Amino acid sequence: GKGNYRHFMEKELHEHPVVIGETLRQYIDSTTRRVALPPLPFDPLVVPKLTITACGSAFLAGLVGRYWIESLARIPVDADTASELRYRDPPLPEGGAALLVSQSGETADTMAALRLLKGAGQSILSVVNVDESSMARESDTTLLTVAGPEIGVASTKAFTAQLSVLACLAIGMARARGTIDAAREAALIAALLELPSDAAALLDDNATIQALAVEVAEARDVLFLGRGNLYPIAMEGALKLKEISYIHAEGYAAGEMKHGPIALIDPAVPVIALCPSGPLLEKTASNLQEAAARGGRIMAFTDAEGAPALRRFAQHVIVLPTVDPFVAPILHAIPVQLLAYHVAVLRGTDVDQPRNLAKSVTVE
Ligand code: F6R
């Protein structure tokens, strides 16, 4: 049941800390504090290409995975939604591998992509939440997320669980390839293991997000901006807002804003930016300043170090715990999902059963 929560989605949002912790426990050895993966169906040392595919939020988790795997493990990655990949006919190298991501393990397009990739000789690794699903059955190896059943139609805890697995996978493959040193690996593991308490702290402070939600609920359009591994989280924020509050939203790479979307900017269009401190903050801040100069209402998610620069022009600066930039997408996913939830509640939509949507999309 929903316990003391109004909706399954609210309950599941509050399960982020536990689900992240349980999932990490599965893939990080608690005594050695090193990533321990089951044998992979391919050798990371020689695999020429990894094709990542999925649908919806699971695809956005896969996109974060691409940033992590490319930057840490230095493996070339192609990432595309399953409905596109199936008909794109991309060249697939001999000895290549595919990585599928799915909560249900039953999504029709992802399953079709799996069979196509398998038929083209790619080894199949999947990140799935349901052990006895079609996808888990037909994959060479499955890395299970430990999210438990997800009832709300909009994916929440399964998403951070997917990210947790993908982070471990990137670290594990980087170690196998010798592209990460022991000190950096230890730092990343420490950052991951901090996440459950960071996430819990964030969920404890509902008031900040609720105040933002009051403003966002008035909007007709919302722009979410991010760079690097936070760009997919900007898209996740937009997807969640669209699907449960029915407010039009777009997730954009911050640097792309000046190539079109900036024309939309006026005080009625909230600009929600994901910009923790790190090498990309200055770039994103300058994009935001351009939006602010055109009357844009900036709501920026950052950390203590990033806050002062953003306060000069942003209407709202939301300070999240400071984390290693590598794990920032996992942390930032939580407030954007929470925001969508509170906006939907204010607008009185059917949060757990949004119109026109199904939990498991088993038709093309
Ligand atoms: C968004 C959402 C959907 C699913 C997508 C894939 O909140 O829930 O976009 O992520 O339908 O579903 P799975 O992960 O079951 O393959």
Side-chain angles (χ1 to χ4, degrees):
K2 292 183 281 215
N4 291 325
Y5 295 103
R6 276 179 72 180
H7 300 98
F8 281 107
M9 186 177 176
E10 186 186 24
K11 172 173 181 268
E12 289 164 1
L13 282 164
H14 282 84
E15 286 170 1
H16 276 303
V18 169
V19 156
I20 295 168
E22 293 286 315
T23 301
L24 292 175
R25 204 206 309 274
Q26 199 67 34
Y27 299 103
I28 298 174
D29 185 304
S30 60
T31 49
T32 62
R33 285 173 70 98
R34 301 197 87 176
V35 166
L37 299 170
L40 299 179
F42 57 89
D43 181 354
L45 211 49
V46 297
V47 70
K49 176 184 173 185
L50 189 59
T51 302
I52 299 181
T53 190
C55 298
S57 283
F59 172 64
L60 299 177
L63 278 185
V64 176
R66 174 174 72 178
Y67 281 87
W68 283 337
I69 292 166
E70 286 186 336
S71 68
L72 273 194
R74 314 303 299 157
I75 298 170
V77 175
D78 177 22
D80 203 355
T81 53
S83 59
E84 281 301 309
L85 187 91
R86 307 178 50 173
Y87 301 112
R88 223 182 75 204
D89 197 18
L92 295 163
E94 203 178 308
L99 173 59
L100 293 292
V101 186
S102 176
Q103 188 283 126
S104 64
E106 301 295 346
T107 301
D109 278 319
T110 315
M111 273 311 294
L114 183 157
R115 289 171 184 151
L116 182 133
L117 291 158
K118 204 176 195 178
Q122 309 298 288
S123 7
I124 307 292
L125 176 64
S126 62
V127 175
V128 174
N129 195 42
V130 181
D131 196 3
E132 58 282 5
S133 61
S134 309
M135 221 170 287
R137 248 194 334 269
E138 293 189 31
S139 299
D140 297 313
T141 303
T142 298
L143 305 174
L144 287 173
T145 45
V146 194
E150 195 178 61
I151 310 294
V153 163
S155 185
T156 51
K157 58 177 179 165
F159 183 71
T160 52
Q162 287 159 355
L163 292 177
S164 302
V165 175
L166 293 169
C168 292
L169 178 65
I171 295 169
M173 293 198 302
R175 190 171 71 219
R177 289 170 61 84
T179 53
I180 188 172
D181 62 37
R184 182 74 183 129
E185 183 184 352
L188 295 182
I189 301 286
L192 284 168
L193 294 175
E194 278 293 318
L195 280 172
S197 64
D198 291 337
L202 214 151
L203 286 160
D204 277 344
D205 173 24
N206 243 317
T208 310
I209 299 289
Q210 235 151 2
L212 274 195
V214 171
E215 272 188 51
V216 173
E218 302 288 311
R220 207 188 62 181
D221 309 281
V222 179
L223 204 52
F224 285 80
L225 301 178
R227 267 182 194 264
N229 63 22
L230 288 161
Y231 168 37
I233 305 303
M235 291 193 270
E236 165 67 3
L239 174 58
K240 219 99 297 179
L241 191 68
K242 277 184 276 213
E243 72 174 328
I244 62 169
S245 79
Y246 316 147
I247 293 174
H248 169 243
E250 286 193 56
Y252 240 83
E256 272 291 292
M257 193 187 56
K258 59 163 70 85
H259 301 286
I262 196 162
L264 286 173
I265 301 288
D266 72 31
V269 182
V271 177
I272 300 178
L274 310 178
C275 41
S277 61
L280 297 174
L281 172 63
E282 213 179 302
K283 303 273 178 204
T284 306
S286 100
N287 300 132
L288 295 176
Q289 215 158 350
E290 289 160 15
R294 285 155 186 82
R297 254 192 305 150
I298 316 291
M299 306 175 174
F301 288 93
T302 185
D303 50 35
E305 202 185 314
L310 297 162
R311 284 210 178 96
R312 286 191 279 113
F313 55 82
Q315 259 70 21
H316 299 280
V317 174
I318 303 92
V319 180
L320 308 184
T322 302
V323 295
D324 189 291
F326 180 82
V327 304
I330 306 182
L331 192 71
H332 280 250
I334 298 171
V336 298
Q337 291 182 348
L338 212 52
L339 178 65
Y341 171 76
H342 286 298
V343 172
V345 169
L346 286 168
R347 293 183 55 117
T349 57
D350 189 345
V351 176
D352 284 334
Q353 281 292 338
R355 66 190 183 200
N356 310 335
L357 291 173
K359 182 66 186 160
S360 181
V361 183
T362 52
V363 292
E364 182 172 354

